[in-house]
Amino acid sequence: MPDFYYDTGTVQSQFSVGGNDPRRRLARVISLLDGSERSIFIFARVPDGVHFYQHLKNGGSSTFLQAAGTAEAMTIECRRLDDDGEERLYVLGHGGPRSGEPTVRIEFNDGQNHTLVYPDEVFDFSEAGDIFFSYFETERVPDGYALRLFDLDAPYEDQRGTAD
């Protein structure tokens, strides 16, 4: 099983299958998201001993799974390589009904930033832990989740912004 790197905004570390139950370890780290100092969780496969940001700087793949918010209410995003060879960012959801623009505000970085999502795109740490563990095992989002393209070409304020 590959080694992964994670970043919580305050802690950066390698994550591997060794040690205690990896599913429980992932759920524990994600359960510490507080919307303040620990408000993000970035999880990516990297070569042994290399941090994610160094991996990117060296031209490595920028595919990852990330969450932002709190243990009780977070958004999860996946950057993946699509069949056409392009990397794209998606917001995960349960596939519920959607009309209009996203209205659920998920704050992170101590309220300095936020993103807007649909109600079916909000997760708690328990379900997020299962999603991240599946990603750890397969490097894919588990079947059954809806993926909404996060348009990186749209103005930043339209999708993420600073707190009002």
Side-chain angles (χ1 to χ4, degrees), residues 47-112:
D48 239 358
V50 178
H51 283 247
F52 180 63
Y53 303 109
Q54 186 63 43
H55 177 65
L56 291 178
K57 187 177 177 182
N58 293 339
S61 171
S62 62
T63 59
F64 57 82
L65 192 63
Q66 68 182 5
T70 66
E72 296 78 25
M74 69 183 73
T75 180
I76 301 175
E77 299 170 350
C78 176
R79 184 170 176 90
R80 70 178 196 187
L81 181 64
D82 284 339
D83 292 340
D84 63 3
E86 294 292 320
E87 289 184 0
R88 293 185 180 87
L89 186 65
Y90 294 91
V91 179
L92 274 68
H94 294 98
R98 298 178 181 158
S99 62
E101 296 298 314
T103 58
V104 178
R105 184 181 174 114
I106 302 289
E107 292 188 355
F108 54 101
N109 294 332
D110 206 18
Q112 297 297 311

